[in-house]
Amino acid sequence: MPLLMFLAWNAVILGNVMAMDPSTVGTVNPVALLQSSSDTGSGQMVLSTLVGTFSELALITSLIGFVYGLIDALTDVTGIPTEGPVFQKWKPALFAGVFLPPLALSVGNPDIFYSALDYGGAFGVSTLF
């Protein structure tokens, strides 16, 4: 099921980007376009709600996977066991190691995430989300 959702997401994003006029690619946000409720029909409201919910769940699951993956990598590098009292002792430091570097980068340069997405391009961005 996750593979099907991933392929569907890539098809939607790449399909929308490739079908757009090249002069408007930088000015049109396809997700915002799907979420807009210019049509007052109930179908548009359902679509807007579904797109918003899908986007929020995509961000939440990405964050969860990122945190678990990075904590696992940090425990491997440092030799800390992944469970037990030693892990519990180091858990705050591990979470700080996961969250503080991105926080410091974003405080230092608030637009760094957008710059990274610009470098990634359409396919790189669609595989991130």
Side-chain angles (χ1 to χ4, degrees), residues 69-126:
L70 203 49
I71 285 179
D72 192 40
L74 288 174
T75 56
D76 287 346
V77 168
T78 58
I80 298 171
T82 57
E83 53 188 43
V86 175
F87 177 74
Q88 293 300 324
K89 175 185 164 191
W90 285 98
K91 199 178 208 179
L94 290 170
F95 275 96
V98 168
F99 288 112
L100 290 181
L103 179 64
L105 285 173
S106 66
V107 167
N109 182 1
D111 295 330
I112 197 167
F113 183 71
Y114 296 118
S115 299
L117 291 178
D118 283 342
Y119 286 123
F123 185 74
V125 171
S126 71

